[in-house]
Amino acid sequence: MQKAKVRKVSTDTLISNLPEERKEQLCASLGNVELSLLYKASVHGYKASAFHQRCDRQGPTLLVAYNNSGYIFGGYTSVDYAQSGREIKDEEAFLFSFTSGTSSHIKINSEYNARYDDAGGPNFGQQLYFCYNNQPVVHYQGGNAFSINTSVYGNDTRLSECEVYKVEQEPEDIVEEKPWRNVQWTPERRAELMEMIRNHKPLMRSVSRVRILMIGPVGAGKSSFFNSINSIFTGHVTNKAMSGSAGTSLTVQFRTYPVNDGREGKPLPFVLCDTMGLEEQSGAGLDIEDISSILQGHIPDCYKFNPMAPFQPDEQKSSRPASLQEKIHCVVYVIDATKISLMSDKLQEKLASIRRKVNSLGIAQIVLMTKVDEACPLVEENLQSVYVSSYIKSKVQEVSSGLGVPVSCVLPVKNYSQELELELNCDVLLLTALQQMLRFADDYFDDIRPVEGNPK
């Protein structure tokens, strides 16, 4: 059978309606890409045949629709349109929506198909249909592939425009003349970091292990960070904490994870505390009041979160303050490097509220920027390029500005996800981040020593 040829589509006469700010957000979420306009409904027509003529076999594409209510919305698929008549699996697919002052980013729910690849107009999850029945309308018919409703387009089904862009990786990231952070990528450095972490003693004698709280959006990599650290000290890749990709949080309990130095070794001087993922909707994901209870040491291990009702402490226990040993000593915000620009306003507001609470308690704070290899092709090719990549540097600065933390507190890492064996460069980044967490916790202890007085 002769292989189908990729159509070369001229885009010289097409003018994009996509505002530059929104274009930058979408490009950043896709990981350093360029967008080329393939199809514009006002020029080529709203017919499915016109869409397929321009967009089939063009690789990953981004559909952007507009209506008169001011909504810009659409979806991304990494799999070619080909009129194959098949249901398409695409874990990278997502929907998005922008309107004045707000934005949302909706990932495909696991185990569902991202779209049906037929001769009709573009659809996502067989839920959201664009140019429906060859008309300038969007049609929503419900479903579970994406957690959406008609609010993504403000209930205004009439399209004023529909565009489809070819998504191409930029050929090369700009490489800094010299690393913007110095890291030794050697087995000796890995061994040195492991030894320093093993021998770490918290600055307060009343605390035997530093308690580190992981907070972040669903799917950012909180549980994966614990698994990765546990893997390093176990000596092989482990998956003790539940992790993966899903539309809602896989972690539904408050979990405190100690790490042992080897399978039969002694406990290391830190505990990683995992929480339910943050979600933008009210009544979903981790409740901010629960975070306050966690910080102050009131929530026990294995407590099951209820997004509709915050934790209520036992009256007898709440009458006495928690000991310093039970409280949180360092807060780590886990942020997906590929989703920074598409973080919704509501999610940013939640993070800002959490930061205000953590600030009021004087607890040390760090940002863990995960999935740097997915965000930058240069880093995907060689993880040692993370600190010579100008793109990763710009993402660090963006996180710093958005969350209001110093650049020095933003730490890029790659968690173990699909690897079967440990990898030196991963380990160095992960251990460096953990070492900084322990140092920041000591800064917190140093600040509270005059308040706490002599340890009991």
Side-chain angles (χ1 to χ4, degrees), residues 49 66 80 127 129 131 139 160 199 209 230 255 262 322 327 343 355 378 392 420 422:
S49 57
Y66 310 77
D80 292 70
Q127 285 177 270
Y129 290 78
C131 305
H139 173 67
S160 58
N199 296 327
R209 288 187 287 184
N230 191 58
R255 292 306 316 270
K327 294 180 180 179
M343 192 180 297
R355 271 190 45 73
L378 185 70
I392 295 299
L420 297 178
L422 297 178

Side-chain angles (χ1 to χ4, degrees), residues 213-215 222 249-256 273-278 283-295 298-312:
L213 178 63
M214 319 292 290
I215 297 175
K222 303 184 307 300
S249 181
L250 289 173
T251 303
V252 295
Q253 295 179 316
F254 175 63
R255 292 306 316 270
T256 57
C273 303
D274 197 10
T275 58
M276 193 174 189
L278 296 177
L286 185 61
D287 188 278
I288 291 178
E289 289 185 42
D290 282 340
I291 292 175
S292 181
S293 297
I294 293 170
L295 294 173
H298 295 312
I299 292 189
D301 186 29
C302 295
Y303 167 76
K304 188 174 182 179
F305 294 108
N306 179 359
M308 303 304 295
F311 172 77
Q312 296 295 325

Side-chain angles (χ1 to χ4, degrees), residues 28 31-32 169 173 180-181 185 220 335-340 367-387 389 391-393 395-396 399 410-415 425-426 429-430:
N32 205 23
Q169 289 287 338
D173 186 22
W180 44 278
R181 281 184 187 160
W185 306 97
I335 305 295
D336 182 342
T338 69
K339 301 294 185 287
I340 293 164
V367 179
L368 203 64
M369 195 172 81
T370 60
K371 305 184 184 180
V372 290
D373 57 318
E374 295 180 29
C376 175
L378 185 70
V379 177
E380 183 178 32
E381 185 177 331
N382 183 357
L383 197 57
Q384 291 189 19
S385 300
V386 66
Y387 288 130
S389 164
Y391 181 75
I392 295 299
K393 184 178 182 181
K395 291 288 102 181
V396 167
V399 170
V410 182
L411 306 173
V413 297
K414 178 192 181 308
N415 288 327
N425 296 331
C426 274
L429 278 183
L430 291 160

Side-chain angles (χ1 to χ4, degrees), residues 320-421:
R320 66 164 184 86
S323 67
L324 183 59
Q325 171 85 0
E326 297 170 301
K327 294 180 180 179
I328 296 298
H329 312 129
C330 179
V331 170
V332 178
Y333 303 100
V334 184
I335 305 295
D336 182 342
T338 69
K339 301 294 185 287
I340 293 164
S341 298
L342 274 181
M343 192 180 297
S344 70
D345 296 341
K346 289 181 180 178
L347 204 51
Q348 290 188 45
E349 287 169 12
K350 274 193 176 181
L351 283 168
S353 297
I354 295 166
R355 271 190 45 73
R356 286 193 292 271
K357 181 61 182 178
V358 177
N359 282 336
S360 72
L361 297 171
I363 299 172
Q365 299 171 76
I366 277 179
V367 179
L368 203 64
M369 195 172 81
T370 60
K371 305 184 184 180
V372 290
D373 57 318
E374 295 180 29
C376 175
L378 185 70
V379 177
E380 183 178 32
E381 185 177 331
N382 183 357
L383 197 57
Q384 291 189 19
S385 300
V386 66
Y387 288 130
V388 294
S389 164
S390 61
Y391 181 75
I392 295 299
K393 184 178 182 181
S394 72
K395 291 288 102 181
V396 167
Q397 291 166 339
E398 188 177 345
V399 170
S400 168
S401 175
L403 293 184
V405 298
V407 167
S408 60
C409 297
V410 182
L411 306 173
V413 297
K414 178 192 181 308
N415 288 327
Y416 285 107
S417 56
Q418 58 188 9
E419 294 79 7
L420 297 178
E421 301 294 337

Side-chain angles (χ1 to χ4, degrees), residues 95-216:
L95 296 175
F96 65 89
S97 177
F98 300 118
T99 187
S100 55
T102 63
S103 63
S104 64
H105 179 277
I106 306 107
K107 294 181 68 173
I108 180 75
N109 289 325
S110 60
E111 307 304 321
Y112 285 94
N113 295 311
R115 58 185 180 82
Y116 184 64
D117 186 42
D118 63 359
N123 73 85
F124 288 86
Q126 294 180 268
Q127 285 177 270
L128 204 59
Y129 290 78
F130 295 85
C131 305
Y132 187 63
N133 283 345
N134 296 322
Q135 297 295 317
V137 295
V138 60
H139 173 67
Y140 172 72
Q141 68 175 35
N144 298 312
F146 297 91
S147 302
I148 58 164
N149 54 44
T150 56
S151 65
V152 297
Y153 51 87
N155 296 301
D156 182 354
T157 62
R158 195 77 183 172
L159 297 180
S160 58
E161 184 62 274
C162 185
E163 300 173 333
V164 177
Y165 296 81
K166 181 180 177 69
V167 178
E168 296 179 285
Q169 289 287 338
E170 290 187 357
E172 189 174 353
D173 186 22
I174 299 172
V175 177
E176 300 281 318
E177 289 186 9
K178 62 178 182 178
W180 44 278
R181 281 184 187 160
N182 291 318
V183 173
Q184 299 173 38
W185 306 97
T186 64
E188 292 77 17
R189 178 57 178 165
R190 173 170 56 185
E192 181 184 23
L193 286 165
M194 292 178 72
E195 194 62 20
M196 285 191 287
I197 290 166
R198 288 186 184 106
N199 296 327
H200 180 83
K201 295 188 185 305
L203 201 57
M204 299 290 283
R205 290 199 302 273
S206 61
V207 175
S208 60
R209 288 187 287 184
V210 173
R211 286 169 66 88
I212 300 165
L213 178 63
M214 319 292 290
I215 297 175

